[in-house]
Amino acid sequence: MSLPLVPLPASVTPSPGAPFLLTDDVAVTGDADAAGVLHRLVLTRTGLHLATDAASERAEPAHAGRAAIDVTVDGDGPPESYRLAVDEHRVSIRGADAAGVFYGVQTLGQLIARSPDGWVVPAVDIADQPRYEYRGVMLDVARHFHDVATVTAYLERAASLKFNVLHLHLSDDQGWRLALSRRPELTARASSSAVGGGDGGFYTADDYRAIVAHAAANHMTVVPEFDMPGHTHAVGLAYPEVAAAPALDRWDAAGGPTPVAGETYTGIGVGFSSLRIGAAATDAFVDDILTELAELTPGPYLHFGGDEAHGTPAADFAEFVARTSRVIAGLGKTPIAWHEAGAAGDLAPGTIGQYWGFVTPTDGADDRARAFVARGGRVILSPADAVYLDMKPTADAPLGLTWANGPTSLERAYSWEPGEVVSGISEDGILGVEAPLWTETVRDLDDIDALAFPRIAAAAEAAWSVPAGAVDDRTWESFRARVGGLGPLWTTFGIRFPASPEVTWTP
Ligand code: TNX
């Protein structure tokens, strides 16, 4: 298949007929929200203004016979699925639900092409549905703060590739990024720094609500994370009574400064900070921040971190993550934690584990992940040597890290199969796939684009499409041809993607 579709749809049947000609005479009918999305997408891609007033279209029979794009929610098929049919006269997008129609519109956007006759959509029949219900991107807004405009730009990019979760890593050693009325000192004292001594920043509750609303308009759910009990040095600037002294015997300094209690930390080392486990003040702090986070968050999940807590004794870690998962469950949310939390015996039933080991597991990371499934939970797959978008794409790339078997080429980002990473869990045990972007080296949207693209497209295919190798086109050779055809669309979206030499890009 040479059509530039990523992620690969479940079924694509090109038709022999003439293409649909896209002009400003084309009328859009049907669902108003989807028509609005389509209108903006076509305008951005082609400069054409389609008529999107569905009501006036119905009221003017004179327009019958006019070339039309119809976008309708018809309730047929599994969640988020859609069907797209294109012939010379008509484009029809039918979704099982609003998300399905939205994804059908995104697919249509990828099909729009320039021809000698103008803008065209090739004749084709597509039926499509996702493999996984959780298809995430994560943005670390703690190492470097990223403002609302940057976050909304990134989530729109992700939604166009059919991701439906935006995980925000809202706290880390370098800064606390969400204002909480119950704990005002967090942003008053712990938000104004970043890696390298940058400016820092934080979201007000209204900023956060704006991100959640913008995500919802793009059919994305926000999953907020407060990382605990490690990655909490900044908390000690605000509430010293809940912070343990930096543990400097087992941490990874990454060549930077040594952390000092009560002073901002601007390095990129990990594993030295911990909350004071078992202290009444710490329990009250955790209850306060999670209660307020639950109030601010309409989505079903709260992520509480749990990674790299090398400064927390093992028994304390187990006690802390078990208690914290139960606090979240008690708030009516589903807890998510990084896979290390699977070491605790008493997590709330149904807690979700996020696996960030390698495609070929090492150090028992897969054991930790399986423990979540054994307790009725599921696993999100974020294998670091495939989908960590903060790894350098090439050895000489100016941005990014290399610890996860890096550099990570586009081919390696593509060449893994979610069902084969953690053995012994069934397809049902996998909630989905998430591609994290840690921001130690990432300061702005250009930096985000430079690292995320084009590898984010490979992660999208792992999350949405059929298993690797299951059909002819679910292969690296096919992906590499298809993704190259997306260059013009990405350029019109304003994405400053690096033209990876692994791909032949359509000019
Ligand atoms: C590991 S992945 C971390 C982060 C770093 C990242 C850099 C994970 C759960 N923890 O603290 O930012 O590596 O790639």
Side-chain angles (χ1 to χ4, degrees):
M1 186 192 70
S2 51
L3 296 173
L5 298 173
V6 179
L8 180 72
S11 153
V12 179
T13 313
S15 313
F20 180 86
L21 202 57
L22 206 53
T23 69
D24 46 19
D25 252 2
V26 169
V28 181
T29 61
D31 180 78
D33 286 341
V37 172
L38 176 62
H39 177 85
R40 288 189 293 279
L41 202 165
V42 170
L43 179 62
T44 304
R45 178 74 181 97
T46 67
L48 295 169
H49 279 279
L50 304 182
T52 54
D53 188 340
S56 76
E57 180 58 23
R58 271 194 296 278
E60 290 177 57
H63 286 177
R66 176 174 167 186
I69 303 176
D70 185 62
V71 285
T72 303
V73 177
D74 68 6
D76 281 352
E80 305 183 287
S81 68
Y82 68 91
R83 283 136 288 136
L84 169 63
V86 182
D87 67 24
E88 187 177 351
H89 307 292
R90 197 176 153 74
V91 175
S92 162
I93 298 174
R94 307 205 152 252
D97 48 26
V101 187
F102 178 84
Y103 295 135
V105 170
Q106 301 308 321
T107 296
L108 178 61
Q110 294 184 345
L111 288 170
I112 296 171
R114 227 187 242 288
S115 85
D117 303 327
W119 294 101
V120 293
V121 183
V124 69
D125 280 296
I126 293 174
D128 199 9
Q129 65 186 77
R131 178 179 183 185
Y132 294 120
E133 68 183 72
Y134 184 114
R135 304 180 303 278
V137 292
M138 189 210 81
L139 186 64
D140 168 9
V141 298
R143 268 52 176 273
H144 281 99
F145 180 65
H146 301 278
D147 64 12
V148 173
T150 302
V151 173
T152 55
Y154 189 49
L155 79 84
E156 286 182 8
R157 286 154 162 67
S160 77
L161 291 163
K162 305 185 174 76
F163 286 98
N164 65 356
V165 169
L166 172 68
H167 169 185
L168 289 176
H169 182 77
L170 289 166
S171 67
D172 215 300
D173 293 312
Q174 296 82 355
W176 188 277
R177 306 303 183 200
L178 180 63
L180 298 175
S181 60
R182 284 176 178 75
R183 293 284 173 164
E185 301 302 326
L186 286 169
T187 45
R189 295 177 185 273
S191 68
S192 64
S193 187
V195 166
D199 282 346
F202 66 90
Y203 307 122
T204 64
D206 280 344
D207 290 339
Y208 181 73
R209 287 190 198 98
I211 292 170
V212 167
H214 200 91
N218 286 273
H219 298 277
M220 292 186 90
T221 298
V222 171
V223 174
E225 176 188 355
F226 291 149
D227 199 352
M228 303 179 278
H231 293 276
T232 47
H233 182 81
V235 172
L237 308 186
Y239 297 98
E241 65 277 17
V242 310
L248 301 177
D249 46 336
R250 289 186 57 208
W251 77 301
D252 170 9
T258 299
V260 178
E263 295 180 17
T264 55
Y265 177 68
T266 60
I268 65 167
V270 294
F272 59 87
S273 57
S274 179
L275 296 179
R276 278 182 60 208
I277 311 301
T282 302
D283 291 350
F285 174 82
V286 169
D287 295 356
D288 279 352
I289 63 173
L290 291 174
T291 300
E292 191 156 342
L293 190 61
E295 288 167 3
L296 286 168
T297 302
Y301 302 110
L302 298 188
H303 198 310
F304 66 96
D307 59 313
E308 296 175 323
H310 310 313
T312 313
D316 285 358
F317 176 77
E319 174 192 324
F320 177 85
V321 294
R323 180 183 183 279
T324 304
S325 69
R326 286 169 187 277
V327 169
I328 292 171
L331 291 164
K333 301 291 187 184
T334 300
I336 306 181
W338 299 104
H339 68 242
E340 288 99 314
D346 202 22
L347 291 175
T351 298
I352 304 296
Q354 184 165 8
Y355 174 88
W356 62 280
F358 292 154
V359 168
T360 301
T362 58
D363 304 320
D366 51 339
D367 293 332
R368 304 278 112 85
R370 278 187 287 269
F372 289 89
V373 179
R375 279 186 221 103
R378 302 169 82 186
V379 172
I380 297 164
L381 292 167
S382 300
D385 51 349
V387 297
Y388 265 36
L389 300 176
D390 59 306
M391 291 299 120
K392 284 182 186 290
T394 55
D396 60 357
L399 303 177
L401 307 175
T402 54
W403 68 264
N405 296 329
T408 301
S409 65
L410 180 61
E411 180 171 4
R412 183 133 61 73
Y414 186 84
S415 304
W416 67 289
E417 160 44 35
E420 290 173 5
V421 175
V422 178
S423 63
I425 57 177
S426 66
E427 184 77 353
D428 281 351
I430 301 175
L431 181 62
V433 170
E434 183 177 293
L437 179 55
W438 302 96
T439 59
E440 287 91 338
T441 68
V442 176
R443 283 149 314 191
D444 56 23
L445 186 58
D446 280 353
D447 291 355
I448 291 173
D449 284 348
L451 282 175
F453 283 84
R455 292 177 297 179
I456 190 176
E461 190 143 314
W464 176 279
S465 305
V466 296
V471 297
D472 283 353
D473 282 312
R474 180 68 167 90
T475 57
W476 160 244
E477 282 306 330
S478 166
F479 171 78
R480 136 199 231 207
R482 287 180 280 116
V483 80
L486 289 179
L489 178 66
W490 287 353
T491 300
T492 56
F493 282 169
I495 300 170
R496 312 247 251 180
F497 65 97
S500 159
E502 298 173 83
V503 167
T504 308
W505 297 94
T506 301

